[in-house]
Amino acid sequence: MKSIRPFIGAQNYDLSRNFYKDLGFEEVVLEPKLSLFQKQEIAFYLQDYYAKDWIDNTMIFVEVESVEEFWNDLLALNLTEKYENVRLTPVRALEWGRECFVHDPSGILWHFGQFVK
């Protein structure tokens, strides 16, 4: 195996596209209602499709080198000022490591974490 690329939906496709570009992902438009977003080795497909139950139950975990640095970079992007429904949850310590959360404009929950070594 070489990679995993989840498909996620969007309540407002263009708004979500802009959000992910602001988050630092590069967009490759594949079809009018489907784009690939990539940043380093991370990739996912964003589609112009919204099913509330699906979106409300979608969570994605991304491992980062330093969750504190990632958190500071997030704050500098002013995402909560630019996007009405975006929520950020500060870094918290757990038994396995540290993580922070981002809810995208549709409500998808992203976990950005760093494992204890």
Side-chain angles (χ1 to χ4, degrees):
M1 289 186 245
K2 292 179 75 173
S3 70
I4 185 168
R5 295 180 180 180
F7 284 78
I8 63 172
Q11 187 171 19
N12 179 323
Y13 185 60
D14 289 331
L15 183 72
S16 289
R17 290 171 65 206
N18 289 333
F19 170 79
Y20 286 112
K21 288 186 266 188
D22 282 349
L23 200 54
F25 287 92
E26 292 183 25
E27 180 183 21
V28 177
V29 177
L30 302 173
E31 298 175 6
K33 295 184 174 196
L34 179 68
S35 289
L36 173 68
F37 282 84
Q38 296 177 293
K39 185 175 184 177
Q40 298 164 338
E41 300 299 317
I42 305 299
F44 64 93
Y45 296 101
L46 180 70
Q47 52 192 335
D48 188 6
Y49 177 77
Y50 179 75
K52 184 173 177 19
D53 287 343
W54 174 45
I55 297 296
D56 287 349
N57 288 290
T58 298
M59 293 188 289
I60 300 173
F61 181 91
V62 177
E63 183 180 2
V64 295
E65 291 289 329
S66 168
V67 74
E68 284 80 12
E69 285 180 31
F70 185 82
W71 175 251
N72 291 330
D73 291 344
L74 274 177
L75 292 178
L77 296 173
N78 297 315
L79 296 172
T80 56
E81 287 80 26
K82 292 172 93 171
Y83 300 96
E84 183 179 343
N85 295 324
V86 169
R87 294 189 328 263
L88 305 179
T89 304
V91 176
R92 64 181 189 166
L94 302 162
E95 290 181 27
W96 57 265
R98 301 172 58 75
E99 71 178 343
C100 63
F101 303 106
V102 177
H103 284 87
D104 85 349
S106 300
I108 292 173
L109 176 59
W110 288 78
H111 297 243
F112 293 94
Q114 175 184 357
F115 295 105
V116 175
K117 295 182 181 180

